[in-house]
Amino acid sequence: MFIAEHIIGGSTLKNSILGAGLGAVLLGIASLKTGNIALSTGLHFAWNSLHWMLGYKDNTGLFVEVVSKENGRQGEIVSYAAYIVVMLFGILTVSQLIKSQKRYNSI
């Protein structure tokens, strides 16, 4: 659903699968481990805020990323690699450090 929402919102298929797909895994694990969406909401807000501050949201942030045309492909590869590393680190961290919240129904 998260991938489809990003495609409908105008993201490319590659960005939707790699970006939103890995993000959905991280946010899903965070929700399942904690039993609520508070951590997922905070992680999503922090990620979007950081992206805005770094100028990745249509270059409207505090900083502006500039990559020359000659280095555009290398910049894209580095960007995807960094994103994948950060998401995998987040997935590993949440899955290992957050204890699962067991919910028992009392009758």
Side-chain angles (χ1 to χ4, degrees):
M1 292 301 293
F2 210 51
I3 292 170
E5 182 272 326
H6 279 78
I7 291 172
I8 291 168
S11 290
T12 64
L13 182 62
K14 180 171 50 173
N15 283 343
S16 296
I17 291 172
L18 285 177
L22 275 175
V25 171
L26 171 60
L27 300 179
I29 290 172
S31 293
L32 291 172
K33 292 288 268 187
T34 61
N36 61 55
I37 63 167
L39 179 58
S40 296
T41 302
L43 288 171
H44 198 290
F45 178 79
W47 183 263
N48 285 347
S49 297
L50 179 65
H51 260 210
W52 173 80
M53 285 190 292
L54 294 177
Y56 296 139
K57 301 283 185 187
D58 298 326
N59 291 328
T60 59
L62 300 174
F63 304 101
V64 177
E65 173 192 18
V66 178
V67 178
S68 65
K69 283 193 172 200
E70 307 86 51
N71 297 324
R73 183 71 181 136
Q74 291 90 345
E76 183 181 28
I77 292 168
V78 169
S79 177
Y80 277 119
Y83 178 81
I84 290 168
V85 167
V86 168
M87 286 294 122
L88 292 177
F89 179 72
I91 290 167
L92 181 68
T93 301
V94 168
S95 65
Q96 295 300 310
L97 294 182
I98 305 294
K99 288 186 177 183
S100 292
Q101 301 295 317
K102 296 191 186 233
R103 307 222 178 234
Y104 296 102
N105 293 330
S106 58
I107 298 176

